[in-house]
Amino acid sequence: MEKERTLWGEFIKGFITTNPLLVLMVGLCSSLAISTRVESCIFMGMAVIFVLTCSNIIISLIRNLIPDQIRIPIFIVVIASFVTIVDLTLKTIPAVYERLGVWIPLIVVNCIILARAEGYASSAKVSHAMMDGLGIGLGYTCVLLIMSVVRELFGTGKIVMFEHTIISLGTNKMPAILILFPGAFITFALLSALLQWYQQRRKPEIEGG
Amino acid sequence: MTRTILNLGLRLLVVCLVAAVGLGLTYTLVKNRIEEQDRKRRAEAAEAVLSAIEARPQEDLELTASLQERFADLIGVFEGLDASGDVIGYAFVLKSKGYNFITMAVGVDAEGKVTGIDIVTNEETPGLGAVAAEKPEFLGQFKGKGPEKLTLKVDVDAVSSATYTSRGITNGVNMALEVWKHLSNKGD
């Protein structure tokens, strides 16, 4: 990257230019599985932001102390520790935990987090690594929220959060396919296409045929 | 060569130690709250399923342990006591398999009739299987049935598009009835 790295630039790139889900297309399995409910996505998003930011900071802090040969085990230990902290904390809120279930422990092997540790935090300044974690984490959360709003609203006819119905279309004759896995793929593909279209329109010169 | 390996191993050890201490601390902080939540959820469910016969649930850990040898999916047994302290029913907390795991409480009275069902947790697909687990009309059908084994679509109607979950819940009730039979035979 030729340009000077600014903190804000590091933050914003996670949203659009290198959005983990829509552009890098990593960490998809959990997002497809849990985007059936808006409520779950909020907690999943918070968990990912926490783990990603904390592990980015720690790994960036100790980057000069980690020998190359054992960097991956060390990354995994750091990431797994933060994931376990989230897992234990969420267990005290059973209503949330029972929905997210297995996906919280699986954040350990979520490609987004290991990819950011290996590809970014291990060679960046602490402040940059932190902004990168926040940006990528928020980018992930935003996509998750959009997907879950579409799927929950049009798949079940209403959005229920914390046992209150927020929006209701007043019918439950909705296409259940949106709640199932095909619906996840369709919603995801449409979103990804939308982002591609938007970016190509903004920078027609890069397109190059 | 040996020195590098030792060096690497030591660094890894230090990282792991720091992580282990951090996790140990977190665990001690939340351990009691987690256990308390689990116990609370089970007790609430037992209370709910025994309310029909106005019995006060009392968790019996010894009984649970002895029954668990035979019924692996049994999580807890509550004795339903009346005002004078006699057992007039049981609430069984157990897990059953629908499309995923369903943890449920089943209340059974002295005649082996189901007094109520409460779903503690379910991992069923939201909008499909989960509909059955959250539907009072479906769960209410079990009330007063038993002690003979129940068959789905004969004794109780399944919820359409939630057949696996309906079956899972029926199996859970049958398991509770079986545990009840085991208990009452032993008493004779």
Side-chain angles (χ1 to χ4, degrees):
Chain A
M1 212 179 268
E2 297 287 301
K3 265 196 299 181
E4 176 89 18
R5 282 172 164 178
T6 63
L7 285 181
W8 179 244
E10 294 306 296
F11 178 74
I12 209 73
K13 81 178 175 202
F15 256 89
I16 300 182
T17 39
T18 60
N19 186 294
L21 292 174
L22 295 179
V23 180
L24 302 180
M25 301 211 178
V26 290
L28 285 179
C29 4
S30 61
S31 65
L32 298 181
I34 63 157
S35 60
T36 50
R37 287 194 71 143
V38 180
E39 189 188 320
S40 324
C41 287
I42 294 174
F43 283 99
M44 184 69 180
M46 289 193 325
V48 168
I49 292 172
F50 173 78
V51 173
L52 191 54
T53 311
C54 292
S55 59
N56 262 10
I57 292 172
I58 298 293
I59 286 163
S60 174
L61 273 174
I62 60 171
R63 66 184 188 275
N64 296 326
L65 304 172
I66 308 176
D68 239 17
Q69 301 97 309
I70 54 163
R71 64 184 195 285
I72 300 288
I74 288 184
F75 294 163
I76 295 286
V77 170
V78 172
I79 295 167
S81 308
F82 284 115
V83 172
T84 312
I85 290 174
V86 171
D87 192 52
L88 289 172
T89 316
L90 277 184
K91 269 192 187 148
T92 59
I93 322 172
V96 176
Y97 191 78
E98 80 198 38
R99 289 245 164 67
L100 291 177
V102 72
W103 297 105
I104 292 292
L106 280 179
I107 297 177
V108 178
V109 288
N110 190 314
C111 346
I112 298 174
I113 291 158
L114 192 60
R116 292 330 282 176
E118 162 77 7
Y120 190 86
S122 58
S123 58
K125 282 205 315 208
V126 178
S127 53
H128 285 164
M130 186 181 86
M131 290 314 267
D132 177 76
L134 284 173
I136 296 269
L138 276 171
Y140 174 83
T141 312
C142 277
V143 177
L144 224 55
L145 284 178
I146 298 171
M147 280 177 72
S148 61
V149 166
V150 172
R151 290 182 67 193
E152 188 173 356
L153 187 61
F154 298 110
T156 65
K158 56 179 189 253
I159 291 181
V160 181
M161 270 166 85
F162 308 107
E163 290 167 14
H164 295 290
T165 306
I166 307 277
I167 311 171
S168 175
L169 297 180
T171 166
N172 47 20
K173 297 252 176 300
M174 296 307 263
I177 191 172
L178 271 176
I179 281 293
L180 298 170
F181 285 114
F185 283 109
I186 294 166
T187 318
F188 178 77
L190 289 177
L191 275 182
S192 182
L194 200 68
L195 188 75
Q196 296 286 339
W197 173 77
Y198 171 74
Q199 284 199 301
Q200 294 208 343
R201 237 178 50 138
R202 267 184 65 197
K203 306 177 198 161
E205 72 275 13
I206 299 175
E207 198 181 347
Chain B
M1 185 60 194
T2 351
R3 282 191 59 182
T4 17
I5 290 180
L6 213 61
N7 181 12
L8 295 180
L10 274 176
R11 279 165 200 253
L12 199 52
L13 182 72
V14 171
V15 172
C16 290
L17 276 179
V18 174
V21 170
L23 288 180
L25 284 176
T26 321
Y27 184 64
T28 33
L29 281 177
V30 296
K31 189 178 79 180
N32 289 333
R33 287 196 57 184
I34 294 174
E35 276 170 13
E36 202 183 300
Q37 292 284 0
D38 285 350
R39 224 175 300 133
K40 216 173 96 192
R41 292 293 299 265
R42 287 206 299 266
E44 276 170 9
E47 182 105 45
V49 297
L50 286 175
S51 62
I53 52 169
E54 285 167 9
R56 192 159 39 86
Q58 189 81 51
E59 187 162 21
D60 193 331
L61 297 171
E62 255 172 64
L63 191 59
T64 306
S66 70
L67 284 171
Q68 265 170 345
E69 283 168 25
R70 217 184 120 103
F71 303 96
D73 287 333
L74 194 67
I75 298 169
V77 178
F78 290 79
E79 290 176 327
L81 307 175
D82 65 4
S84 54
D86 295 326
V87 179
I88 53 166
Y90 289 99
F92 303 106
V93 182
L94 47 90
K95 67 172 194 273
S96 178
K97 185 100 168 67
Y99 205 80
N100 285 307
F101 280 112
I102 306 165
T103 309
M104 54 194 272
V106 184
V108 184
D109 68 10
E111 276 92 52
K113 304 267 184 236
V114 175
T115 61
I117 306 179
D118 193 49
I119 306 296
V120 183
T121 59
N122 79 79
E123 297 163 19
E124 304 300 285
T125 319
L128 282 177
V131 171
E134 289 157 7
K135 202 172 191 162
E137 293 93 330
F138 172 69
L139 300 176
Q141 294 181 86
F142 291 94
K143 223 173 207 173
K145 302 230 165 103
E148 290 321 310
K149 207 174 160 202
L150 303 175
T151 313
L152 191 66
K153 295 175 194 165
V154 177
D155 299 304
V156 283
D157 291 329
V159 176
S160 62
S161 82
T163 313
Y164 273 78
T165 313
S166 306
R167 196 178 297 150
I169 292 173
T170 313
N171 288 344
V173 174
N174 283 334
M175 195 180 123
L177 292 172
E178 220 176 293
V179 182
W180 177 84
K181 268 183 207 158
H182 182 73
L183 267 177
S184 49
N185 284 344
K186 234 181 183 178
D188 284 344

